[in-house]
Amino acid sequence: MATTYNLKRADFIFRNENDWEKILNRTLQRDKTELINELISSELKGRGGAGFPTGLKWKLASESKVQEKFIICNADEGEPGTFKDREILTKVPFKVLSSMAICAYIIGAKQGIIYLRGEYRFLKPDLEKTISEFEYYCNEINFDFKIKIFMGSGAYICGEETALFESMEGKRGEPRNKPPFPTNAGYMDKPTVINNVETLAHTFTIFKYGATKFYDLGVQFSRGTKLFSVSGDTPKPGIYELELGMSLQDFVDEFGDGDTKAVQVGGASGFLVPRKRFGETAIGFRGKLTGISLPTGGSMMLFNSSRSMFNVLDNYLEFFREESCGQCTPCRVGCQQLLIGIKAVKQGSKPASYLDKLLKLTETMQYTAKCGLGQSVANSFSSIVENFREEMIY
Amino acid sequence: MSKKINITINGVVYEVEPGLTILEAAQNAGINIPTLCYHKDLCVAGNCRVCVVEIAGQKRLAASCATPCQENMEVLTNTLKVRNSRKHIIELLLSEHNADCTKCYKNGNCELQELAAEYKIMSQDLIDLVPYKDYTIDMFSPSIIKDDSRCIRCQRCVRTCAELQGVNALTVAYKGDKMKISTFFENSMNDVVCTTCGQCVNHCPTGALIEKNYIEDAWEAISDPEKHVIVQTAPAVRVGLGEEMGFEPGESVTGKMVAALKNLGFDSVLDTDFTADLTIMEEGTELLTRLKKALVDKDINIKLPMATSCSPGWIKYIEHMYPEYLGNLSTCKSPQQMFGALAKTYYAKARKLDPDKIVSVSVMPCTAKKFEANRPEMHDSGYRDVDIVLTTRELAIMIKQAGIDFRKLPEKKFDRLMGDSSGAAVIFGATGGVMEAALRTAYEIVTGREVPFDNLDILPVRGLEGVREASIKIEKPLENWAFLDGVELKCAVAHGLVNAKKVMDAVKEKKADYHFIEIMACPGGCLGGGGQPIPTNPEIREKRTKAIYEEDKNLSIRKSHENPEVIKIYKDFLGEPLGKKSHELLHTKYVARNRY
Ligand SMILES: Cc1cc2nc3c(=O)[nH]c(=O)nc-3n(C[C@H](O)[C@H](O)[C@H](O)COP(=O)(O)O)c2cc1C
Ligand code: SF4
């Protein structure tokens, strides 16, 4: 049984940022190793999807002897229905920029880049103004650091870090083979730290209040707070900062409409949790104690009993079929087969047992796809098909 | 020295060089791992995923082609999970693929088909996706057919066109289920920068990119009693054909090839080598004339460096990419086209044949030769100079169709009149060969002495380095060529268009002061041509190269100007190199084309 909290709202991310100059200046005076250790001890994990420990990522990049390095802020935010990164960049951009500068200081980078989702072009003018103000300050304190904005092209896959590098290098947005990992060879094959917008906002909190404050929030393996984009059948859609580790039941009690039959945790690449599992499911990173994980960007979509789970799955699969970059066999063809396959079962041209073949197929996709997109199609597919099998057939 | 790495594959420990991938380590250990998107000529893509293996302690499988060996890594290549995954992946590919293999040109030589056989894909559970796709076939190019319904999206062609050729005519378009290999604005291959070199064809694992074949046309001509069907064979064909007939790479099969062609029913079996020698006479003279005009007459309209013009893929490339340098190209036609023009004039006259009744067939290691023969200007004999161009692969198909036991064929010699060859002509098939042949002749014309290299082997221009440079100092020239005394003749050799680009850019940026450059469109030169047997890869190219130089060594005549038939044709028909007749029949013009 997972250790869970009751739902606890928090307010760190959007708390005012008026003191950014002080925090930045103060942090840039500190010893680099000490900063890395502080970040590691906070146990902050990336908020962009993979949940990689941020402190370790910075440490690895700092260890590289290569001269030129980069810090990239991933603001591609392509998950349908989420706009938390947009909110952060609108409301507290200086936190993100300051964290980029601190990371640059630690790893030894001089150039920061914000990869901004194509649809967020309207943010660009304001953000550019903020950046020039920020660079002016860096200059004043003799810190050599520049930030530029790179506009994304609108493909979901370009949020995947290596596809993002490819797209920045003017190539087609296709994920690379790993290794090498970005901290060794990322953008332009130089050591690169790439972090989600929210991750960077949290590092600001950590350097402002200290790692302990952050660590004390949340539960084991899932420390701190997280922004959730709540949508679907809920009377209160929106963005909420919550402590990690709450039980899904508490979440549904707070945000549900009284008739919640399932929640999709973590968007299209996440898992569907049916009502009977609400109590035993904790929202946090996969760890020994938490039941089900929270991958990706914090999307929480509630479904009430009027919803057809077949349609839900159908939508997700259509999304993947289109948004797969198309380079690797299991993902490109697998997504087509899954989509056409569930329709065939629904229409009766394939027997119900065909669903089991498709489940096996998603397993292969999970094992063999080149990147996180193809690997995670199995999550929503198996959790929906296994929990709502009858809805797939009749 | 970097330290070796210990890695366990299927329970056995191997010591491997650091930097090796799992696939390479396994191959070295004699363990076969299936691949599709992998090709030794190309960078690793890791997109087909068929080479997955299990690594102890990891839930996900790893693409062995893209995963470097690490100390103490434990790799399993044949677990149930691995087998099931590979089988699944093959099934997925088949479901998206027009798998009516019996109607496919590549039936019997398809990597996907082989894998399906190996994994015994007997039934297809998955739904056939082909009816849901609007696949198209592009047949407009005279050289290449692109059939999207046979494509497995491994991107080998895309990487070939970019990495080996630097042309980028083929690119990936769209994403997800719509992802496909396409061209600029999805135009036909015939309307884009495609050089028709056929390297993509040679690197395609399936039937998605194939040569346009003219096998039936050839059979028809042969069977027509009215027609006199002659065939010429390019130097590189004889060192490639054997591979299609069950010989090891690197075995030269000249005599058997000639015998087979005679068995097929060609009326006369002749040698492109003859016109290769002729090319040297014309091109060598052209080079010397240009040098004289530039150095003595100070004629500023003379373009140097002069570039070879034997490779039609290179010609189309420069027409698209560097049209401002067309004046640097030698005006000599390629040996194939010289042969074609002479076949319906000189040969017809000598043999008292009506040129209208002659069908001129060529067997080439090349798909661009099909395009070249089709060029509107190639009608100088008053007819289409070359009627049918077959690749090495097409010839192999015809030999098999004819039921010929190639291995047991007694060797035969080429017919006379345009059937004689020198060693200089044979080496046309290898990168650097034209340069070497030209130097052997030009140096002797100028100085009256043989080139100052042991056994005439001009080693600096040989090899498989992408770009090679060499220079020869001219000393004590004959009186006529006194102006060349002390001149250092600077040459460059490049093969693969990506290397041609390097040379051309150096010329463009005035970083190089070459007098003469040899460029072959295909890696390795013609022996690695787009029409050569599949597979062609670095090791195979090396073996074919060896075979070519071996042929040269074994010939008694090794200089173009000593080929008796060449001497004869100048005496009986052409007059002198660059003479009036030569100009009419053996030289040509080029056209500027768009970059897109
Ligand atoms: C298909 C796919 C899409 C992704 N999209 C995003 C995205 O929009 N924003 C993001 O921050 N990370 C995205 N990621 C995760 C990134 O690859 C990467 O893990 C992340 O930017 C690292 O930052 P973090 O450690 O701060 O989470 C995506 C991953 C995949 C596989
Ligand atoms: S898993 Fe999908 S998105 Fe990722 S590389 Fe493969 S095809 Fe592209």
Side-chain angles (χ1 to χ4, degrees):
Chain A
M1 188 64 202
T3 319
T4 55
Y5 274 104
N6 295 330
L7 195 76
K8 283 189 192 165
R9 295 205 188 194
D11 176 26
F12 288 95
I13 295 209
F14 295 115
R15 204 181 279 181
N16 85 66
E17 55 173 356
N18 299 339
D19 53 357
W20 68 269
E21 285 155 315
K22 191 179 104 201
I23 308 294
L24 176 62
N25 200 358
R26 184 181 83 193
T27 312
L28 294 181
Q29 317 276 333
R30 290 174 58 192
D31 176 65
K32 294 174 187 175
T33 318
E34 184 195 314
L35 289 173
I36 289 178
N37 288 338
E38 170 136 40
L39 200 52
I40 290 176
S41 68
S42 76
E43 289 188 14
L44 168 64
K45 289 179 182 167
R47 301 312 201 219
F52 192 83
T54 309
L56 182 57
K57 191 183 273 188
W58 291 20
K59 181 165 190 262
L60 290 171
S62 74
E63 283 164 356
S64 166
K65 297 275 181 292
V66 177
Q67 267 290 317
E68 194 177 20
K69 300 181 187 179
F70 297 101
I71 157 77
I72 295 178
C73 168
N74 189 343
D76 197 41
E77 194 158 56
E79 186 72 43
T82 56
F83 50 94
K84 64 176 182 72
D85 295 341
R86 185 183 83 195
E87 287 291 291
I88 295 173
L89 286 177
T90 316
K91 294 190 173 140
V92 288
F94 281 111
K95 290 190 180 179
V96 177
L97 303 185
S98 301
S99 286
M100 288 174 77
I102 295 166
C103 176
Y105 164 67
I106 293 174
I107 67 170
K110 297 204 159 33
Q111 181 71 58
I113 300 156
I114 298 176
Y115 188 97
L116 191 61
R117 179 178 182 193
E119 287 86 338
Y120 290 173
R121 185 171 290 279
F122 64 94
L123 295 183
K124 202 176 167 213
D126 279 353
L127 198 52
E128 269 168 351
K129 252 184 253 154
T130 314
I131 289 175
S132 64
E133 198 180 318
F134 181 78
E135 284 178 347
Y136 182 83
Y137 179 73
C138 286
N139 193 35
E140 244 176 20
I141 59 169
N142 278 325
F143 184 65
D144 178 13
F145 183 57
K146 294 269 180 293
I147 296 178
K148 63 181 178 196
I149 299 176
F150 185 96
M151 292 309 302
S153 60
Y156 172 68
I157 192 60
C158 288
E160 197 279 338
E161 52 199 18
T162 58
L164 183 147
F165 301 148
E166 291 285 297
S167 116
M168 281 176 55
E169 290 171 17
K171 293 179 253 172
R172 189 182 146 81
E174 282 185 355
R176 299 175 182 169
N177 293 301
K178 294 183 198 174
F181 293 95
T183 45
N184 269 324
Y187 174 51
M188 307 293 277
D189 287 335
K190 304 288 183 201
T192 304
V193 164
I194 175 162
N195 275 129
N196 173 252
V197 176
E198 185 188 338
T199 311
L200 291 167
H202 285 298
T203 57
F204 186 87
T205 305
I206 291 165
F207 291 124
K208 177 171 174 179
Y209 296 107
T212 323
K213 179 110 176 177
F214 185 87
Y215 182 88
D216 286 345
L217 303 167
V219 295
Q220 199 184 7
F221 301 116
S222 301
R223 297 293 170 187
T225 66
K226 164 104 196 72
L227 290 183
F228 290 91
S229 306
V230 181
S231 62
D233 299 318
T234 168
K236 323 185 233 189
I239 292 176
Y240 299 88
E241 184 175 357
L242 304 172
E243 259 184 65
L244 287 174
M246 71 214 162
S247 91
L248 188 54
Q249 187 61 60
D250 289 334
F251 176 87
V252 170
D253 290 346
E254 174 76 20
F255 293 102
D257 62 359
D259 184 27
T260 308
K261 102 168 161 187
V263 180
Q264 178 80 9
V265 179
S269 14
F271 293 84
L272 186 99
V273 185
R275 184 184 291 145
K276 60 177 185 283
R277 299 241 161 79
F278 288 168
E280 64 193 55
T281 301
I283 301 303
F285 292 97
R286 192 187 292 271
K288 282 199 188 95
L289 292 179
T290 45
I292 283 195
S293 67
L294 174 155
T296 70
S299 154
M300 303 289 279
M301 190 173 275
L302 295 90
F303 300 108
N304 68 20
S305 53
S306 72
R307 302 286 161 185
S308 147
M309 287 300 129
F310 176 85
N311 288 346
V312 170
L313 180 57
D314 190 79
N315 273 331
Y316 287 144
L317 291 175
E318 208 154 301
F319 174 77
F320 284 126
R321 185 187 59 172
E322 274 165 34
E323 294 301 334
S324 155
C325 80
Q327 71 162 316
C328 80
T329 313
C331 174
R332 179 188 69 251
V333 196
C335 290
Q336 296 173 60
Q337 286 292 351
L338 294 177
L339 181 61
I340 220 162
I342 62 163
K343 287 192 205 294
V345 170
K346 189 79 171 176
Q347 288 154 3
S349 57
K350 284 277 185 190
S353 61
Y354 192 63
L355 290 174
D356 301 317
K357 294 217 159 108
L358 295 179
L359 282 167
K360 278 234 147 47
L361 177 59
T362 60
E363 223 171 81
T364 295
M365 292 169 69
Q366 191 180 11
Y367 295 151
T368 63
K370 187 166 175 178
C371 87
L373 189 148
Q375 288 158 5
S376 61
V377 174
N379 297 349
S380 48
F381 190 91
S382 58
S383 58
I384 294 176
V385 168
E386 275 160 12
N387 287 305
F388 294 95
R389 196 178 169 97
E390 66 296 341
E391 287 195 38
M392 300 298 121
I393 302 167
Y394 307 108
Chain B
M1 287 300 281
S2 35
K3 235 182 89 210
K4 296 219 176 184
I5 287 177
N6 290 304
I7 146 166
T8 312
I9 308 179
N10 301 338
V12 181
V13 181
Y14 298 92
E15 219 187 41
V16 303
E17 294 294 333
L20 232 56
T21 62
I22 296 176
L23 177 67
E24 289 163 332
Q27 282 173 342
N28 290 349
I31 298 162
N32 182 45
I33 295 177
T35 57
L36 279 172
C37 68
Y38 176 80
H39 195 289
K40 279 220 169 105
D41 278 342
L42 307 172
C43 80
V44 167
N47 60 32
C48 76
R49 315 306 285 177
V50 92
C51 71
V52 286
V53 296
E54 205 168 325
I55 298 176
Q58 293 183 14
K59 184 173 170 208
R60 283 204 291 270
L61 303 177
S64 60
C65 69
T67 310
C69 294
Q70 270 166 21
E71 185 64 29
N72 295 330
M73 198 180 234
E74 272 179 57
V75 177
L76 295 161
T77 70
N78 190 29
T79 63
L80 193 63
K81 187 165 158 184
V82 166
R83 279 195 61 80
N84 284 342
S85 296
R86 287 184 191 159
K87 203 164 169 181
H88 243 146
I89 289 168
I90 299 164
E91 282 174 335
L92 285 170
L93 285 171
L94 287 170
S95 78
E96 212 189 17
H97 179 89
N98 176 6
D100 57 348
C101 295
T102 53
K103 297 198 188 76
C104 180
Y105 185 63
K106 289 289 283 296
N107 189 6
N109 185 8
C110 165
E111 294 179 33
L112 179 63
Q113 194 183 42
E114 271 167 41
L115 276 187
E118 189 177 320
Y119 279 78
K120 293 287 164 255
I121 312 288
M122 312 277 287
S123 62
Q124 180 69 294
D125 276 338
L126 297 173
I127 295 167
D128 182 10
L129 298 172
V130 176
Y132 299 88
K133 308 256 175 187
D134 46 357
Y135 285 136
T136 49
I137 306 186
D138 174 6
M139 311 234 276
F140 291 106
S141 161
S143 300
I144 297 170
I145 295 177
K146 175 168 172 281
D147 179 352
D148 290 346
S149 76
R150 313 265 184 201
C151 173
I152 57 167
R153 286 99 171 147
C154 65
Q155 302 189 35
R156 263 157 59 164
C157 56
V158 175
R159 283 175 283 148
T160 300
C161 198
E163 293 167 25
L164 300 183
Q165 303 301 66
V167 172
N168 296 300
L170 293 168
T171 50
V172 180
Y174 308 111
K175 59 183 167 52
D177 58 319
K178 305 261 180 337
M179 184 271 211
K180 64 186 275 194
I181 309 307
S182 190
T183 52
F184 188 66
F185 274 121
E186 298 200 54
N187 284 329
S188 156
M189 297 273 283
N190 199 35
D191 298 329
V192 295
V193 289
C194 168
T195 64
T196 70
C197 72
Q199 282 301 317
C200 57
V201 171
N202 201 297
H203 287 80
C204 178
T206 67
L209 285 158
I210 53 173
E211 68 261 25
K212 189 173 251 184
N213 87 76
Y214 297 84
I215 296 173
E216 288 312 318
D217 304 62
W219 281 130
E220 214 164 285
I222 289 171
S223 323
D224 187 342
E226 296 281 294
K227 303 282 189 208
H228 180 84
V229 189
I230 64 171
V231 62
Q232 53 164 319
T233 61
V237 176
R238 63 205 68 180
V239 296
L241 182 65
E243 291 162 36
E244 294 278 355
M245 313 312 303
F247 288 83
E248 282 298 304
E251 284 207 46
S252 187
V253 293
T254 318
K256 288 186 187 296
M257 173 187 75
V258 173
L261 287 164
K262 294 192 169 177
N263 270 5
L264 292 182
F266 286 102
D267 295 305
S268 199
V269 178
L270 302 170
D271 201 349
T272 315
D273 283 14
F274 163 72
T275 36
D277 279 331
L278 206 55
T279 300
I280 290 304
M281 299 305 292
E282 295 288 327
E283 200 166 281
T285 315
E286 185 185 358
L287 175 66
L288 293 173
T289 312
R290 282 199 197 204
L291 287 175
K292 175 162 183 299
K293 285 189 180 157
L295 299 177
V296 181
D297 311 342
K298 307 277 180 225
D299 183 345
I300 49 163
N301 293 318
I302 291 304
K303 300 275 192 287
L304 286 174
M306 188 176 94
T308 58
S309 55
C310 310
S311 164
W314 150 240
I315 297 299
K316 190 152 186 277
Y317 177 79
I318 188 174
E319 287 178 333
H320 282 294
M321 304 295 189
Y322 300 92
E324 68 276 25
Y325 283 91
L326 292 181
N328 291 64
L329 283 176
S330 159
T331 58
C332 288
K333 287 183 185 171
S334 72
Q336 164 178 279
Q337 293 306 134
M338 285 196 182
F339 194 104
L342 291 172
K344 295 189 181 179
T345 53
Y346 172 66
Y347 176 88
K349 212 168 125 197
R351 289 293 210 86
K352 303 196 174 54
L353 292 163
D354 174 1
D356 198 30
K357 296 269 171 2
I358 295 180
V359 178
S360 163
V361 178
S362 72
V363 184
M364 294 285 140
C366 182
T367 52
K369 291 280 171 196
K370 295 172 188 274
F371 172 83
E372 185 186 38
N374 201 39
R375 290 175 75 117
E377 61 272 25
M378 296 298 177
H379 283 76
D380 289 331
S381 61
Y383 303 86
R384 181 172 152 139
D385 293 337
V386 175
D387 296 295
I388 297 171
V389 180
L390 304 170
T391 59
T392 309
R393 297 188 293 264
E394 287 163 80
L395 173 59
I397 293 170
M398 291 179 72
I399 294 173
K400 286 174 195 160
Q401 286 177 347
I404 294 169
D405 188 348
F406 192 80
R407 280 193 158 270
K408 295 217 182 101
L409 276 182
E411 307 202 349
K412 290 226 167 110
K413 284 205 161 21
F414 285 105
D415 291 318
R416 294 308 304 263
L417 201 65
M418 317 211 329
D420 256 356
S421 160
S422 76
V426 172
I427 58 174
F428 262 58
T431 165
V434 178
M435 176 65 66
E436 182 164 348
L439 291 178
R440 284 183 194 172
T441 289
Y443 192 87
E444 205 165 315
I445 292 179
V446 170
T447 66
R449 303 184 306 275
E450 289 194 336
V451 278
F453 289 91
D454 281 351
N455 297 321
L456 300 174
D457 293 346
I458 308 180
L459 298 180
V461 300
R462 295 191 184 179
L464 288 168
E465 195 70 35
V467 177
R468 304 184 297 285
E469 294 177 331
S471 61
I472 291 195
K473 193 159 178 185
I474 299 179
E475 280 162 342
K476 291 191 245 139
L478 298 173
E479 211 175 310
N480 276 350
W481 305 99
F483 66 93
L484 284 175
D485 195 11
V487 167
E488 184 135 320
L489 191 65
K490 291 189 181 152
C491 309
V493 171
H495 60 123
L497 292 170
V498 81
N499 295 313
K501 183 176 180 348
K502 288 181 199 156
V503 169
M504 288 311 291
D505 286 344
V507 168
K508 202 169 174 170
E509 290 157 22
K510 308 228 178 315
K511 284 188 189 144
D513 53 350
Y514 307 124
H515 298 107
F516 187 32
I517 55 183
E518 179 212 286
I519 294 180
M520 292 295 155
C522 292
C526 305
L527 57 87
Q532 287 285 64
I534 300 170
T536 296
N537 59 37
E539 286 108 77
I540 292 177
R541 276 194 290 270
E542 212 171 305
K543 290 184 178 154
R544 293 183 195 152
T545 307
K546 256 198 160 141
I548 287 240
Y549 287 111
E550 208 50 45
E551 282 262 302
D552 168 35
K553 222 193 235 154
N554 295 335
L555 283 170
S556 50
I557 298 171
R558 298 185 57 211
K559 292 178 283 195
S560 300
H561 56 279
E562 290 177 357
N563 180 333
E565 287 192 335
V566 168
I567 298 169
K568 184 172 156 56
I569 196 174
Y570 279 112
K571 191 162 113 318
D572 295 353
F573 185 71
L574 289 172
E576 55 176 2
L578 297 190
K580 184 164 171 296
K581 260 251 143 56
S582 290
H583 263 297
E584 272 168 38
L585 293 174
L586 307 182
H587 291 258
T588 187
K589 289 198 200 59
Y590 307 102
V591 287
R593 298 173 198 269
N594 288 336
R595 269 202 100 128
Y596 298 101

